[in-house]
């Protein structure tokens, strides 16, 4: 029984392609998916509510489904779009 390890490279030359350094930029979180219980959108919203200092953060939620009205209501009171 021989075990083999396979290491896959990044696929991108990080010496050529790398994020530029940006100061004072907001961290943006994006949820895209069905607005339903099984997709976890309520968990995302509850986690967002627990963050105390959101001054440098944004949360955006996109999608449709059973919880669309709930998401709209929460967006009005919890500070996300």
């Amino acid at each position: 029984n021989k075990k083999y390890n396979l290491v896959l490279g990044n696929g991108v030359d990080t010496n050529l392609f790398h994020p530029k350094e940006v100061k004072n930029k907001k961290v943006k979180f994006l949820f895209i998916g069905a607005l339903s219980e099984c997709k976890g959108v309520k968990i995302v919203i509850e986690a967002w509510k627990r963050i105390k200092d959101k001054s440098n953060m944004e949360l955006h939620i996109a999608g449709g489904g059973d919880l669309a009205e709930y998401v709209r209501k929460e967006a009005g009171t919890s500070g996300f779009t």
Side-chain angles (χ1 to χ4, degrees):
N1 274 348
K2 291 183 180 181
K3 292 186 177 183
Y4 297 95
N5 291 323
L6 175 63
V7 177
L8 297 175
N10 197 349
V12 174
D13 185 347
T14 55
N15 292 318
L16 292 173
F17 302 100
H18 49 84
K20 27 181 216 183
E21 193 171 322
V22 179
K23 294 179 182 157
N24 300 325
K25 184 121 182 177
K26 287 193 173 201
V27 177
K28 297 178 182 179
F29 299 95
L30 175 62
F31 176 98
I32 299 176
L35 303 180
S36 64
E37 194 79 39
C38 67
K39 292 294 184 177
V41 71
K42 278 187 170 182
I43 294 170
V44 170
I45 292 170
E46 290 306 313
W48 180 254
K49 288 170 151 181
R50 291 180 181 203
I51 298 171
K52 290 183 173 123
D53 181 10
K54 296 186 253 275
S55 61
N56 200 32
M57 299 179 187
E58 293 178 2
L59 171 63
H60 302 276
I61 298 179
D66 297 341
L67 296 178
E69 189 56 39
Y70 166 80
V71 171
R72 273 189 221 97
K73 179 181 165 198
E74 289 294 320
T77 60
S78 300
F80 63 87
T81 59

